[in-house]
Amino acid sequence: MKRQNAEKVMRVAQKVIISCEKCGSRNYAMPVKQGATKRLELKKFCAHCNEHTMHKQTI
């Protein structure tokens, strides 16, 4: 039983925080695959800016 639980934990994707480029607010947490080498960049809605802006993965 313990081995099955350990395998489930290993398959869970790591979550990263993405923040708005315009105002810097950290609005979203997105799952990312383990082998991802590039930083995540998405165009998302920012509630603080009240518009769609580019959001980048924070370190």
Side-chain angles (χ1 to χ4, degrees), residues 9-45:
V9 170
M10 293 178 77
R11 285 187 267 157
V12 174
Q14 180 183 4
K15 288 189 178 180
V16 295
I17 305 294
I18 59 174
S19 61
C20 176
E21 278 192 339
K22 191 172 182 181
C23 68
S25 66
R26 298 166 58 141
N27 299 335
Y28 296 97
M30 305 290 292
V32 175
K33 292 183 180 178
Q34 291 288 341
T37 57
K38 296 172 75 176
R39 291 178 67 182
L40 185 63
E41 293 183 13
L42 298 170
K43 192 166 188 177
K44 303 285 278 182
F45 181 78

Side-chain angles (χ1 to χ4, degrees), residues 40-54:
L40 185 63
E41 293 183 13
L42 298 170
K43 192 166 188 177
K44 303 285 278 182
F45 181 78
C46 178
H48 299 282
C49 299
N50 201 25
E51 60 184 270
H52 285 86
T53 59
M54 284 302 294

